Amino acid sequence: MSEVGQGGVGSESLDAWAALLREQAPSAETAASLDDLKGEWLSPRGRIDALAVVERHLAWLQAKQVELLAAISDHTEVPTSSADGPAVGADMDAVFLGEWDCAVEEVACALKLANSTAAQRLETARLLSGRHPVTLGLLADGEISYQQARVVAEQCAVLAVDVAGEVERALVERMPQQAAGQTRAAVRRQVHRVDPAGAEARHHERVRERKLLSYPQEDGMALFGAVLPAQRAAVMEQVVEAYVVGYGDDGRSLDQKRADALYDLVVEPRNGAALEAPSRAAAVVHVTVPLDVLMGLDDGPGELKGYGPVTAGQVREIAFAGGTVWRRLLVQPASGLLVKTDPLTYKPTAEAARHVVARDQYCAFPSCRMPASRCDLDHVRPFDHARPERGGPTTPENLQPLCRRHHRLKTHHPGWRVGRDARTGNAVWTAPTGHTYINTPPVCRE
C-alpha cells in the first residue's frame, strides 16, 4: 500500500487496511506494509488494530529468532574435534560454538544481553524447537506472545517429551485468547494434572530450598521476605490482613498498614514491648479442590486463591489442619464452573460473595490478575434500585469481581461495556474503539 496519509488514501481506508492486516498471519509481505501504519493517519480504532498488527509481527520475528537460537544451541551439542585439539581442517566456528561451548557468550555479546539472559533464551529456543512445534507455530503466526511460548517451554521442561506434548495439546486452542498470566496459570495447572507425583516431588525439593531474602532498595528502603511453601505464605498473608483490621482508620494507607503489621508481628514481641494485639478475625485461606483429591482418590491439583495450582499434598495439609472449616461448592461437570442465592437485594449475601470469589478468583477484566477477594462485586447488568424485581439481580450469574480501577472503568467510562455468558462464565468486554476482548475464568477441571 502506498500514497497513504493526508495527501493520499483517507484514514477510513487506512483503518480498513490495518483491520485486514490484523486478521492475516505475519509474513515478509505484510511486514513491508508496517511503515504505512502511522498513528497520526489512523483513527483511534485503527491505531488499536495497527498496534495489534505490529505486535503480531514482533511475535513472528521472535519466532524467527527462536529458530536461529535453536540452531545455535544444537550446534553446541555435537563435539567437533578430538581431546587433543581441533582436527586438521576443522571448521573453527564449529569448534568455538561446539567443543568449547561459547554459544552463550557469543549470543550475549551479539544481542547485548547478560550471560544468564542469553542462556535462558538459548534453552527456551531449544525446548520450543524440539518439543513444542505447535506453540512455536502459534508464535510465528502472531497468535500468541513470546511470553506465552516461553511459559510453555519452561513449565513443561520438567516433563517427559510425550507428557509435555499432552500439556501443549490441552492448551493450544485457548492460548490465543489468553493473556500471559492466564497462560502461565493454565500451564501450571496442566503440569500438576498430568504429573502429580512429579509435582509433589518437585515441591518437596523446593521446600528444602526455603530461605529469607533481603534486598537493598533506593532511598533508604529494603525488600524483606521469604521463599516458602505457598500454603504457608497464604496463611501469613491472611494473618497480616487480619491484624491490619485492628489498626482502624489512622491515616495510613492499606499497604503501609500491611508492612507495619508484618514488622509488629515479627519484631515487637521479641523486643518484649507491651504490644496489645488489635482485635481481629481469624485468618482465612481459600482452597478449591475436587472431592476425589481431598479424599485421596486422585492426586490432581487444587487451587490456592491468590497463587494458583498447588499439589494434592499441599491441599490436604491445609484441609486437614486443626480448625479448618470446609464449605461445599457444587461444580458443573461439563464446564467446571461453580453453580448455585436473595436476588432482590443490592448487597450480595455472604454466600453469593463467597461463590463469586471462589468461581472467578481474579478480576474479570481480561488483563487483570487482582485476586477476587480484593475486588468489588459488580452487577454485570445494573441493579434497578427503584424496581429490583425488574432486572439486574444480585445472583452469582449477574455478579463479577472487578478491581477498583476496572469497576470505575466499567461504571463511569461511556465507551466500555461488558456482558457475561452465564453458561461459560466468559466476560466479553467492548472497548470504546469497538474491539471486543474475552476474559475466561479459571475452572476447577481445566
Side-chain angles (χ1 to χ4, degrees), residues 138-371:
L138 289 175
L139 181 65
D141 288 340
E143 296 291 336
I144 63 173
S145 66
Y146 177 75
Q147 290 90 336
Q148 289 173 282
R150 176 183 169 186
V151 162
V152 172
E154 292 181 348
Q155 296 289 326
C156 293
V158 298
L159 303 175
V161 174
D162 57 334
V163 181
E166 182 182 340
V167 171
E168 181 181 53
R169 286 190 295 275
L171 298 170
V172 289
E173 289 188 7
R174 299 183 66 180
M175 275 199 294
Q177 286 78 47
Q178 292 176 327
Q182 293 173 317
T183 296
R184 177 176 293 277
V187 174
R188 286 167 52 201
R189 197 173 296 115
Q190 285 295 332
V191 169
H192 277 263
R193 182 155 290 124
V194 301
D195 185 29
E200 198 75 61
R202 290 188 294 273
H203 170 64
H204 287 301
E205 180 63 31
R206 291 299 303 276
V207 168
R208 287 192 285 270
E209 299 172 1
R210 60 192 183 278
K211 58 185 176 181
L212 283 178
L213 300 173
S214 182
Y215 296 117
Q217 293 196 325
E218 299 301 324
D219 303 318
M221 303 298 286
L223 174 66
F224 178 84
V227 178
L228 71 167
Q231 71 273 22
R232 294 188 179 182
V235 172
M236 291 178 64
E237 182 178 9
Q238 291 304 315
V239 168
V240 169
E241 295 284 356
Y243 200 92
V244 162
V245 174
Y247 286 143
D249 186 8
D250 59 5
R252 286 178 289 179
S253 70
L254 182 57
D255 281 337
Q256 289 171 339
K257 291 178 180 179
R258 287 170 179 156
D260 294 346
L262 178 61
Y263 181 85
D264 289 345
L265 285 164
V266 173
V267 176
E268 293 294 350
R270 294 182 61 84
N271 287 343
L275 177 67
E276 182 178 346
S279 59
R280 59 191 185 275
V284 178
V285 177
H286 291 276
V287 179
T288 303
V289 53
L291 183 61
D292 51 356
V293 173
L294 197 61
M295 296 174 63
L297 302 177
D298 186 84
D299 286 326
E303 196 81 12
L304 179 62
K305 189 181 74 174
Y307 175 78
V310 292
T311 68
Q314 291 176 276
V315 166
R316 294 174 194 135
E317 178 183 329
I318 297 170
F320 296 107
T324 295
V325 176
W326 295 2
R327 291 194 177 99
R328 180 169 59 94
L329 299 172
L330 301 180
V331 175
Q332 290 178 348
S335 68
L337 295 177
L338 292 176
V339 296
K340 190 176 161 187
T341 288
D342 183 32
L344 300 183
T345 60
Y346 178 70
K347 185 177 180 180
T349 64
E351 178 190 8
R354 287 195 300 267
H355 183 125
V356 174
V357 168
R359 179 194 68 198
D360 292 353
Q361 300 183 35
Y362 300 97
C363 173
F365 193 80
S367 61
C368 188
R369 297 291 283 176
M370 176 70 74

